[in-house]
Amino acid sequence: LKAQISFEFLIVLFFLFIFFLISVAIYADENKTFMSIQSTLRAKEFAFKISRVINKVYQAGGGSSFTILYEPDFNLTVRGRLVEVYLDGTNAQAPLVTDKVTVGSVTRGKFVKVSNENGTIVMSDV
Amino acid sequence: MSKGQVLSIDLLIATAIFLFILNTSVLIWNSELSRKNDMEARKWMEESARTTSNQLVTSQGDPSDWQNLQELNESNLHSLGLVDSRNMLNQKKVDKLSLLSNTNYALIKRVIGLEAYNVTIYLISNKSSMIFGTEPASEEGVISVDRFALLNDSKVTIRMKVWR
């Protein structure tokens, strides 16, 4: 009887181990998807934050300006009428209402001044 | 006796319940993620529509006489606006935008920052008239933003509809 229980226990343990492996694999897959979606959402949020500032400064007219933190996790570029933000291999875009945007020296982790100079938006470190 | 109990029905039931719970959790999780994504996408579409409608009724555009340009392209049209001064619509700009609806739909969408969406712009006074874009097939998922302005001393509403 002792030997029988031991053998059965091994079989049950084997199946449980298989289930455990499957669960871990499913969890890892779901977690990867979640992390990717989270990165995209964070990048999108930051892209919209920047585009919101640029659009508002543009609409406010020449002489207006705004200061915003260039958060260190993100990589920011402005291409045509789009703000593009890269984060952990994902990227996100946000639209601009003008293509006259000049990105000067902007440093991650520092405050950036967004100013409207006669209809042209200029971004540079504070 | 204990051999039969361990290897047969108990194990099968436990396995079935476990797989059912696992499967349900994954389905709920995926559905919530998808719902969150849809909500965020709608929020951003709404913000883009609001920004663009503001732009149309607060800016002259760049160049300010863009309605007189013979040929419009991305290098000579930097931004689009429909007014002479804040909320005072310019009839010529409105007419020009209406003309461009058929020939330069994609270009105008790009210039106003709504390239990723479908756009319709209405001018509503006594009677509603569509001045730009195409009618949405249904109202589901359509975001509508209204802005008030004056056109030839009459109060009008600029209604912008944006959808995917």
Side-chain angles (χ1 to χ4, degrees):
Chain A
L1 186 68
K2 215 164 113 186
Q4 279 175 352
I5 289 170
S6 185
F7 177 67
E8 287 151 7
F9 177 75
L10 281 176
I11 291 173
V12 171
L13 192 69
F14 172 75
F15 278 113
L16 284 176
F17 187 67
I18 296 287
F19 286 144
F20 174 72
L21 285 183
I22 292 170
S23 310
V24 168
I26 291 172
Y27 171 77
D29 189 51
E30 290 298 316
N31 197 42
K32 197 175 151 194
T33 311
F34 174 72
M35 295 305 277
S36 163
I37 289 174
Q38 200 186 31
S39 290
T40 308
L41 288 179
R42 279 187 66 208
K44 195 92 176 167
E45 193 72 51
F46 187 65
F48 263 83
K49 203 170 171 182
I50 297 292
S51 82
R52 196 177 299 137
V53 168
I54 293 175
N55 289 334
K56 287 223 184 283
V57 167
Y58 181 73
Q59 286 170 359
S64 56
S65 67
F66 196 90
T67 301
I68 187 169
L69 178 67
Y70 183 177
E71 292 173 32
D73 299 345
F74 304 98
N75 231 324
L76 170 75
T77 58
V78 175
R79 192 171 52 85
R81 290 181 167 87
L82 289 174
V83 171
E84 286 188 327
V85 168
Y86 297 86
L87 172 71
D88 301 334
T90 63
N91 82 315
Q93 299 174 331
L96 297 172
V97 292
T98 178
D99 62 348
K100 282 185 168 176
V101 181
T102 306
V103 183
S105 166
V106 290
T107 314
R108 287 199 277 173
K110 288 192 171 175
F111 281 94
V112 170
K113 186 179 179 188
V114 180
S115 52
N116 185 334
E117 296 177 7
N118 297 320
T120 300
I121 301 297
V122 178
M123 296 174 73
S124 58
D125 283 338
V126 173
Chain B
M1 191 168 133
S2 42
K3 191 167 135 187
Q5 280 173 355
V6 172
L7 281 178
S8 59
I9 232 61
D10 286 358
L11 185 62
L12 283 176
I13 291 172
T15 308
I17 292 171
F18 175 78
L19 288 177
F20 176 75
I21 292 171
L22 189 71
N23 205 20
T24 310
S25 311
V26 170
L27 284 176
I28 291 172
W29 179 250
N30 282 337
S31 139
E32 283 303 306
L33 270 186
S34 158
R35 204 168 65 92
K36 166 88 175 152
N37 252 347
D38 289 349
M39 278 168 61
E40 293 292 324
R42 191 177 166 83
K43 187 181 90 181
W44 288 317
M45 185 162 74
E46 201 173 325
E47 179 171 345
S48 301
R50 221 177 300 122
T51 304
T52 300
S53 55
N54 273 344
Q55 170 70 15
L56 291 180
V57 297
T58 57
S59 158
Q60 297 179 321
D62 185 3
S64 56
D65 62 344
W66 62 266
Q67 75 277 12
N68 297 325
L69 293 174
Q70 289 300 312
E71 196 181 320
L72 287 171
N73 53 52
E74 279 195 79
S75 36
N76 65 9
L77 183 58
H78 302 291
S79 73
L80 198 84
L82 296 177
V83 295
D84 289 324
S85 59
R86 200 178 175 90
N87 296 83
M88 306 292 280
L89 288 170
N90 177 316
Q91 182 71 60
K92 284 182 181 168
K93 288 181 178 178
V94 173
D95 293 343
K96 182 75 175 184
L97 181 66
S98 184
L99 272 175
L100 293 170
S101 181
N102 293 324
T103 54
N104 291 69
Y105 179 67
L107 168 73
I108 298 299
K109 276 203 312 171
R110 250 195 319 278
V111 172
I112 61 179
L114 294 173
E115 188 181 4
Y117 310 112
N118 293 300
V119 185
T120 315
I121 301 171
Y122 302 87
L123 181 76
I124 303 167
S125 48
N126 294 332
K127 57 186 173 75
S128 169
S129 66
M130 189 176 76
I131 55 171
F132 181 79
T134 51
E135 287 277 0
S138 81
E139 289 299 310
E140 199 181 313
V142 176
I143 283 169
S144 181
V145 179
D146 283 359
R147 288 287 178 267
F148 301 108
L150 288 174
L151 177 64
N152 303 326
D153 294 328
S154 305
K155 192 179 147 192
V156 294
T157 304
I158 293 284
R159 176 166 297 161
M160 175 177 278
K161 287 188 177 180
V162 178
W163 74 101
R164 275 201 180 271

